[in-house]
Amino acid sequence: MLWLFSAVTPADVVALVKALPDKQCASDPLPTWLPKKCVGVISPFLCQLFNWSLEHGSVPSSFKCAYITPLLKKADHDPADVKSYRPTSNLSVVSKLLERLVSSQLVKYLDDNDLLPDLQSAYRAMHSTETAVLKVLADILLALDSGDLAMLTLLDLSAVFDSVDHDTLLKRLQKSYGLGGQVLNCFASYLCGRVQHVRTSAACSTPSAVLDGVPQGSFLGPILFLLYTADLLQLVKRH
């Protein structure tokens, strides 16, 4: 059971800030280079903010606002056609730092208690796309060596992150993975009250509430989606 997050230290914050990429989101009021340059000064304050959030199970509302930037999929696409654009979600640097701290503790808990699906390769130490491909290739070769037929079926879901039901996800986190207390409250706060804007070089839309799905462009979003769909992997394993 995981009911409380461990407190983070200024050293944890310093390490995360130094590891930030140099790229900068235009919608973020805090340029990435600034916290990296002033990390020694701001790390105690960020540490206090993050620990308050983890202790009280509450994510600040300013951390739950995303800017959606439409980008052309290819340079030769028609800029007047809406289908020519790919929406890119951008979150603030500080919110991503908190997500990294939470995701590291969550993944460690799942890994230590053997709660991740055996066939899951992403977000696990010593696993990657290479290990996933090797597993598939080895299974095919073993089947062929045994004289059996081999068939590979691939499933590609469109806008899959947008399909997550928040109530169902929270129930799965509690019942299937033993999350409770302030940890579960933190994820409930993380999911609710999210808003997004569409931003272009000339204008910005009014805020729109996000009632379903997990945040794109986040660190926690893919992990939460994995836990939401883990039963599918277990079903594949049994059959």
Side-chain angles (χ1 to χ4, degrees), residues 210-232:
V210 181
L211 303 178
D212 299 290
V214 291
Q216 298 192 30
S218 65
F219 291 101
L220 279 175
I223 300 173
L224 292 176
F225 180 78
L226 161 64
L227 301 182
Y228 183 73
T229 59
D231 279 351
L232 290 175

Side-chain angles (χ1 to χ4, degrees), residues 37-207:
K37 184 176 182 180
C38 306
V39 62
V41 177
I42 66 175
S43 59
F45 301 99
L46 290 177
C47 182
Q48 184 175 359
L49 172 62
F50 295 155
N51 279 328
W52 184 94
S53 179
L54 298 178
E55 181 183 352
H56 292 83
S58 177
V59 177
S61 58
S62 60
F63 286 12
K64 297 186 283 186
C65 178
Y67 280 95
I68 309 300
T69 305
L71 300 175
L72 273 175
K73 296 178 181 178
K74 293 184 178 180
D76 58 348
H77 282 191
D78 181 8
D81 187 354
V82 175
K83 295 181 180 179
S84 299
Y85 292 88
R86 178 182 67 255
T88 302
S89 176
N90 296 305
L91 300 167
S92 70
V93 170
V94 180
S95 69
K96 288 185 177 182
L97 290 175
L98 177 60
E99 287 192 32
R100 281 182 176 270
L101 292 168
V102 170
S103 63
S104 64
Q105 294 194 35
L106 176 61
V107 170
K108 184 178 186 305
Y109 163 77
L110 296 171
D111 202 38
D112 290 346
N113 291 276
D114 198 25
L115 293 175
L116 288 172
D118 294 338
L119 298 179
Q120 175 62 34
S121 287
Y123 314 109
R124 302 180 67 185
M126 309 304 293
H127 290 70
S128 64
T129 53
E130 287 83 356
T131 58
V133 171
L134 287 173
K135 168 63 176 172
V136 172
L137 180 60
D139 288 347
I140 292 175
L141 293 177
L142 287 174
L144 295 177
D145 289 344
S146 301
D148 296 329
L149 296 177
M151 178 181 295
L152 177 62
T153 302
L154 302 176
L155 178 63
D156 184 11
L157 302 178
S158 177
V160 66
F161 279 11
D162 299 333
S163 65
V164 175
D165 179 80
H166 292 170
D167 290 338
T168 302
L169 172 59
L170 292 172
K171 288 178 181 177
R172 284 194 51 75
L173 294 178
Q174 182 180 29
K175 295 182 180 297
S176 300
Y177 301 101
L179 305 186
Q182 295 298 61
V183 170
L184 191 63
N185 290 339
C186 189
F187 285 114
S189 176
Y190 174 77
L191 293 170
C192 76
R194 302 198 73 92
V195 297
Q196 61 186 20
H197 307 253
V198 176
R199 181 188 181 98
T200 67
S201 58
C204 179
S205 71
T206 57

